[in-house]
Amino acid sequence: MSDAVLVIGGGIAGIQASLDLADMGKHVYLVEKSPSIGGRMAQLDKTFPTNDCSICILAPKMADCYDHSNTTILTYSEVKEITGSAGDFTVTVLKKARYVDAKKCTGCGECTEKCPAKAPDLFNMGLGTRKAAYLYFLQAVPRVALIDQEYCIRMTKGLTKDGKPRCGVCKDVCQAGAIDFDQQDEEITLNVGAIIIATGFDPYDPTSLTEYGYRRYKNVVTAMEYERLICASGPTGGHLKRLSADDRDPKTIAFIQCVGSRDLHHNKYCASVCCMHSTKEAILANEHDPEIHSYIFYIDIRASGKGFQDYVARAKKEYNVTYIRSRVAEIAQDAGENPVIWYEDTNSRQVKSMTVDLVVLATCMVPRTDAVGLAAITHTALDEYKFFQTSPLAPVDTTIPGIFACGYCQGPMDIPESVAQASAAAARAAEIVS
Amino acid sequence: MQALTPYKDAIDIVKEAGGEAFEQCYQCGLCSGTCPWNLVTSFIVRRLIHQAQLGLVDFEDDDLWLCATCGACVARCPRGVEIIDIMRAMRNVVAEVGAAKVPDSLRITAKNIASAGNPQGEAREIRGNWAEESKVKTFTEGTELLYFSCCVPAYDPKVRRIAQATAGILNKAGVDFGILGAKESCCGESIRKAGNESIFQSLANSNIQAFTESGVSKVLVSSPHCYHTFKNEYPALGGNFEVVHTAQYLLELIRDQKLKLTKELNKKVAYQDPCYLGRHNGIYDEPREVLRSIPGLELIELPDSREESICCGGGGGRIWIETKKGERFSDLRLEQAIEAGAEILAVACPYCMLNFDDSVLTMDKGEIIEIRDISELVWGAI
Ligand SMILES: Cc1cc2nc3c(=O)[nH]c(=O)nc-3n(C[C@H](O)[C@H](O)[C@H](O)COP(=O)(O)OP(=O)(O)OC[C@H]3O[C@@H](n4cnc5c(N)ncnc54)[C@H](O)[C@@H]3O)c2cc1C
């Protein structure tokens, strides 16, 4: 029997579940795949319906979670195998090499500064680049750099003719002596009594909806990309710009709802948060520049949460946001790289076109691609959309006793709901390990 | 309580055709925004569907006859509503229940097809006349392939060249094929879409009987409309034949080296995806590959092609209804082709050929661009 708990996934749900358990005196192992905890919430600019700065309310929780005496945070790690049953699980975790000694690294950023190799910046949704020696993002927890072996010159280019490595600048400049090119992946075995899955979601790739021109037209972006574009710590320093070479500030923005959602050709379900996040994003645009007029193309506005309907009303009244009831048929592009939207205005019963400066696609949110693998490892069942299966009167219980699921990995939900579920999952897990 | 509409049964026919998905339409308007009619005038597809959902269809509404069944809306509809089936059912209520008046030209066509087995109302006996010059035999037991030309090339002298080129190619490649001539009837695909279900049923039965009696197992067609109904609709009536469209068959012959394309055609050619070959049956690559096999030919893509292709306007019985100048999709498409620098617009459907030939004529573009069926282009390259 073990009185520890494994939490898989360090987004807001995983963080909250870990904090609750740690506060109850249980030991928590939090395994996070990416180099930092924080999840999607760390990538958001603000949160609806209060417009709180997302990272500002998240960062203290990230720090508390990391610093807590009852937690062990394993980032850049993955669960490989689980055996046993409720009360006594044996877990094998693969901790990938960062090529940086976490104990020595101070997160000063010197290696990043001097590193000559560039890689796409995944935290910024591929907008812009970062270095091969990098910190996942400014507020990353743990504040430990890592080296991307796919892009590092030393690790990809081999030796020179006279047998010397081609680069090593990071090692030369690191005053803490933390760079360690010989670091190896590590396998860790844990014994836990309960497991909480909190692996969240991926944004749906809208490329297959060719009629919307994503990737073909520069000024058609996804909502997740938009969150980074408008964020002060994002690739443009929070200056909301078009992605075409003209660099113009957009004055009209169209938000297209239900892209790949509620659509039997893509995902049948409603992703539940997009009506609100597009409203938020339109409000933020207007706060950045009061001249911006936003149009939200929707099928029906789903504002069924605390304060949501008022939020929508405020967007209309105070932030120059117009809601148009229509599922957009097509997006074309004019000679000035402006997106042209074709749609039926269902109120006036007319097919119209509208030329805007920027289009934001509210794409569906789907389970992480490795949910299937994780379900196999944990022997838990997934539902028809590959969300972890739960039941109405046991909403955080998976199909395996002792294994729980919370947050977006088990169904569409916003941050407050993910947090509530996380606390529920923590309570359920605590029952087992007490 | 009073009935909202005097055609209560009629509404049931429509609802039945729409099935379960029809109930699920959430009136998003994607279909209207997608419909090519809105490039030239206003056609709010969603409104018709909504009226049908409510049981309040205005059967007198001319809009009922606009849909060219191109399938662009169906391909995108997030709820899987079979919009074409619903259109067909609404037309059926007019054509066969008598809820309103059928447009004149369509009424005459339906009569022709019902009596003579072809929309032109020509004699059955002369259906095979096009083949005399091409030395085509009559299909008999044991012949490998039935070539079914479609009524348009069979009777329309301007379009006959499609059938003749195809027969020429088949002869050249040494294919054992024949036609059924007077025993063939119109395939019935379009008249069914125009709401004449019973005419379709009798045409289909007659063809199935003729094919079966003659021992046909494989049919080659020039028209995607024949292709569609033979392949997807005849089986439900007991007609199970292997069906190939010329685009597919030509490619096979070329790949098997039964045809050698040697004569150069140094022209820029754009290809028009027929709705019933592309969207309805997913055949996009074969015709393009056939064109690319012609030496010298430069294949260019039109702005809206493949899945997004704009219809010529001839489906769903529209080929028999006059479309006002200024509202013809084929005019728009021709302009696109000319703008793209095409010297030839290649087609793979006799309806496309009719409509585009007409556009070339009425727009006076004969010196800039010509319309050619892919079979003609291949025939010219041998
Ligand atoms: C554009 C956009 C804007 C939004 N705006 C708002 C808003 O304003 N307000 C609001 O309430 N909600 C908003 N949301 C929704 C919000 O992002 C989610 O509700 C929330 O992020 C869910 O948290 P989570 O912890 O369940 O998942 P995530 O945030 O996805 O976190 C999951 C974590 O698990 C990790 N992980 C995944 N797989 C594995 C694995 N196999 N092993 C280990 N770790 C793994 C991931 O790396 C990640 O860190 C928005 C969503 C989008 C797309």
Side-chain angles (χ1 to χ4, degrees):
Chain A
M1 292 296 275
S2 162
D3 60 358
V5 177
L6 167 72
V7 176
I8 308 172
I12 182 60
I15 290 173
Q16 187 63 47
S18 303
L19 274 174
D20 281 11
L21 283 161
D23 284 346
M24 284 183 242
K26 317 290 175 204
H27 194 86
V28 178
Y29 296 100
L30 172 55
V31 173
E32 164 60 47
K33 199 162 88 170
S34 77
S36 167
I37 56 172
R40 295 288 171 202
M41 191 177 166
Q43 292 175 289
L44 305 180
D45 181 41
K46 306 252 162 36
T47 60
F48 63 74
T50 46
N51 289 2
D52 285 310
C53 156
S54 192
I55 192 68
C56 309
I57 56 174
L58 178 65
K61 278 187 185 284
M62 291 161 65
D64 285 355
C65 185
Y66 189 74
D67 294 336
H68 205 292
S69 55
N70 284 334
T71 60
T72 305
I73 312 291
L74 300 164
T75 54
Y76 214 41
S77 301
E78 276 169 58
V79 172
K80 284 288 162 209
E81 199 189 353
I82 296 178
T83 55
S85 57
D88 189 12
F89 291 106
T90 304
V91 182
T92 314
V93 175
L94 179 77
K95 194 170 187 306
K96 287 181 281 179
R98 290 177 96 103
Y99 304 105
V100 173
D101 185 338
K103 290 199 198 75
K104 292 184 186 157
C105 176
T106 61
C108 70
E110 197 59 21
C111 55
T112 304
E113 179 79 32
K114 299 281 158 33
C115 171
K118 283 190 177 152
D121 190 344
L122 296 185
F123 182 78
N124 280 331
M125 302 309 292
L127 300 168
T129 55
R130 57 154 168 81
K131 298 296 184 58
Y134 69 111
L135 203 58
Y136 191 45
F137 56 96
L138 194 65
Q139 303 85 348
V141 171
R143 198 174 166 73
V144 174
L146 70 159
I147 297 171
D148 187 333
Q149 56 172 326
E150 255 186 77
Y151 292 91
C152 168
I153 293 172
R154 183 182 177 117
M155 291 191 232
T156 54
K157 293 271 155 67
L159 301 175
T160 58
K161 270 194 227 112
D162 31 322
K164 293 212 184 82
R166 288 183 197 270
C167 188
V169 176
C170 52
K171 198 176 167 84
D172 298 341
V173 298
C174 179
Q175 304 208 343
I179 307 290
D180 175 7
F181 291 113
D182 299 324
Q183 204 176 61
Q184 300 290 321
D185 292 353
E186 221 181 304
E187 228 172 59
I188 300 170
T189 306
L190 307 171
N191 186 228
V192 298
I195 297 170
I196 296 176
I197 302 173
T199 49
F201 70 93
D202 272 328
Y204 186 64
D205 181 353
T207 318
S208 63
L209 287 114
T210 49
E211 61 269 31
Y212 288 162
Y214 179 68
R215 286 193 207 280
R216 247 184 309 139
Y217 308 141
K218 293 211 173 69
N219 295 317
V220 175
V221 301
T222 66
M224 214 55 219
E225 289 169 345
Y226 177 90
E227 293 277 351
R228 295 314 300 148
L229 282 177
I230 200 166
C231 185
S233 64
T236 54
H239 186 110
L240 185 59
K241 286 191 300 191
R242 309 206 314 163
L243 292 184
S244 50
D246 56 46
D247 245 14
R248 256 194 316 118
D249 297 351
K251 297 292 173 194
T252 49
I253 306 179
F255 293 87
I256 317 289
Q257 298 307 108
C258 301
V259 177
S261 323
R262 304 175 66 193
D263 183 339
L264 55 83
H265 304 296
H266 300 274
N267 305 287
K268 277 195 285 183
Y269 58 88
C270 164
S272 130
V273 295
C274 327
C275 285
M276 297 314 296
H277 79 51
S278 289
T279 297
K280 168 190 74 178
E281 286 152 10
I283 288 175
L284 296 180
N286 187 264
E287 279 184 341
H288 270 235
D289 175 356
E291 280 177 26
I292 292 182
H293 192 153
S294 292
Y295 300 86
I296 299 185
F297 292 86
Y298 70 101
I299 303 171
D300 34 55
I301 285 293
R302 299 190 161 175
S304 54
K306 210 169 167 179
F308 289 4
Q309 198 64 53
D310 287 345
Y311 194 56
V312 171
R314 259 173 53 218
K316 291 185 197 172
K317 224 165 109 192
E318 296 169 30
Y319 295 98
N320 229 349
V321 183
T322 305
Y323 289 79
I324 298 176
R325 195 185 169 285
S326 177
R327 189 173 184 116
V328 167
E330 226 166 281
I331 300 172
Q333 182 177 264
D334 73 10
E337 290 191 89
N338 303 304
V340 183
I341 295 164
W342 285 91
Y343 66 101
E344 183 201 339
D345 180 342
T346 59
N347 288 328
S348 68
R349 283 195 237 114
Q350 279 174 316
V351 171
K352 296 180 178 171
S353 70
M354 179 193 282
T355 304
V356 294
D357 295 326
L358 185 69
V359 165
V360 181
L361 305 177
T363 57
C364 193
M365 279 148 260
V366 294
R368 304 262 173 186
T369 39
D370 58 1
V372 178
L374 194 57
I377 291 171
T378 53
H379 305 290
T380 50
L382 298 175
D383 69 14
E384 64 173 307
Y385 307 118
K386 301 195 170 62
F387 288 118
F388 286 91
Q389 194 179 309
T390 57
S391 66
L393 291 184
V396 294
D397 290 20
T398 66
T399 48
I400 298 292
I403 304 186
F404 307 96
C406 59
Y408 216 112
C409 70
Q410 62 128 298
M413 67 187 72
D414 63 10
I415 293 165
E417 288 169 314
S418 302
V419 170
Q421 279 213 340
S423 292
R428 293 285 290 140
E431 286 172 24
I432 292 177
V433 295
S434 56
Chain B
M1 274 271 278
Q2 241 200 334
L4 278 172
T5 148
Y7 297 106
K8 187 151 181 329
D9 296 350
I11 286 299
D12 290 340
I13 294 177
V14 175
K15 287 200 166 166
E16 202 180 311
E20 211 178 300
F22 176 44
E23 301 282 323
Q24 294 192 354
C25 165
Y26 51 34
Q27 289 288 303
C28 67
L30 181 77
C31 47
S32 314
T34 301
C35 179
W37 273 108
N38 291 296
L39 296 170
V40 289
T41 172
S42 171
F43 179 31
I44 304 302
V45 183
R46 179 191 56 77
R47 192 180 59 105
L48 280 185
I49 305 294
H50 199 202
Q51 288 176 341
Q53 279 182 316
L54 298 173
L56 290 169
V57 180
D58 173 8
F59 289 105
E60 312 269 341
D61 192 344
D62 288 343
D63 278 9
L64 242 57
W65 304 98
L66 285 180
C67 175
T69 67
C70 76
C73 57
V74 180
R76 284 184 189 163
C77 175
R79 302 297 258 186
V81 178
E82 293 295 343
I83 298 167
I84 294 177
D85 289 349
I86 295 166
M87 293 288 175
R88 179 158 66 98
M90 291 197 278
R91 292 170 177 185
N92 178 244
V93 170
V94 177
E96 294 186 349
V97 182
K101 213 169 140 275
V102 175
D104 286 340
S105 57
L106 207 54
R107 215 183 53 245
I108 296 164
T109 305
K111 231 172 89 191
N112 286 342
I113 297 184
S115 58
N118 65 76
Q120 295 92 335
E122 300 278 356
R124 279 181 185 277
E125 297 70 51
I126 63 166
R127 188 178 179 98
N129 282 8
W130 66 269
E132 278 164 14
E133 290 167 41
S134 310
K135 296 195 217 67
V136 178
K137 68 173 177 182
T138 299
F139 188 99
T140 51
E141 187 85 49
T143 309
E144 205 183 296
L145 182 72
L146 172 70
Y147 173 52
F148 189 92
S149 68
C150 159
C151 305
V152 185
Y155 290 108
D156 190 326
K158 295 192 302 292
V159 183
R160 182 169 279 190
R161 55 188 210 263
I162 299 179
Q164 287 173 337
T166 306
I169 295 168
L170 296 176
N171 279 330
K172 189 93 186 172
V175 178
D176 175 30
F177 77 105
I179 60 169
L180 281 176
K183 283 197 212 152
E184 298 170 1
S185 301
C186 168
C187 71
E189 184 280 329
S190 293
I191 202 65
R192 183 182 213 191
K193 297 286 177 359
N196 294 81
E197 183 63 23
S198 54
I199 299 182
F200 165 75
Q201 296 280 339
S202 85
L203 292 170
N205 285 328
S206 138
N207 278 331
I208 291 170
Q209 196 184 350
F211 291 4
T212 312
E213 277 172 7
S214 311
V216 172
S217 60
K218 184 169 177 176
V219 192
L220 171 69
V221 294
S222 286
S223 169
H225 295 266
C226 306
Y227 180 85
H228 182 73
T229 190
F230 288 170
K231 193 171 163 81
N232 306 318
E233 299 177 332
Y234 277 31
L237 302 173
N240 290 293
F241 311 100
E242 188 187 345
V243 193
V244 277
H245 183 265
T246 36
Q248 301 167 298
Y249 200 68
L250 291 179
L251 186 62
E252 237 179 84
L253 292 178
I254 294 167
R255 281 192 180 151
D256 294 348
Q257 311 227 319
K258 299 219 172 90
L259 287 180
K260 293 244 167 1
L261 308 189
T262 47
K263 283 198 209 135
E264 284 193 12
L265 179 68
N266 292 307
K267 294 232 158 126
K268 281 192 179 164
V269 178
Y271 171 67
Q272 162 74 8
D273 285 286
C275 305
Y276 277 79
L277 203 57
R279 265 189 299 269
H280 285 279
N281 286 292
I283 300 170
Y284 297 106
D285 295 322
E286 290 91 329
R288 287 177 168 78
E289 273 194 56
V290 167
L291 290 170
R292 272 192 220 102
S293 318
I294 297 174
L297 184 152
E298 184 189 339
L299 183 65
I300 54 176
E301 285 293 344
L302 296 180
D304 304 285
S305 69
R306 299 179 69 98
E307 286 86 350
E308 325 260 304
S309 175
I310 300 176
C311 170
C312 77
R318 292 290 315 174
I319 195 72
W320 304 309
I321 300 175
E322 173 66 12
T323 305
K324 271 193 285 183
K325 183 109 189 95
E327 296 186 356
R328 297 175 188 159
F329 308 161
S330 50
D331 288 1
L332 293 184
R333 201 65 174 147
L334 193 70
E335 269 165 14
Q336 275 187 333
I338 292 170
E339 195 158 316
E343 297 158 281
I344 293 176
L345 181 60
V347 297
C349 172
Y351 292 170
C352 292
M353 164 97 42
L354 283 179
N355 276 342
F356 285 114
D357 266 349
D358 202 50
S359 291
V360 170
L361 214 63
T362 54
M363 292 166 75
D364 195 16
K365 299 288 183 198
E367 308 212 324
I368 311 176
I369 192 161
E370 19 172 1
I371 312 302
R372 291 275 170 260
D373 189 81
I374 52 170
S375 58
E376 285 181 86
L377 294 174
V378 169
W379 183 227
I382 299 179

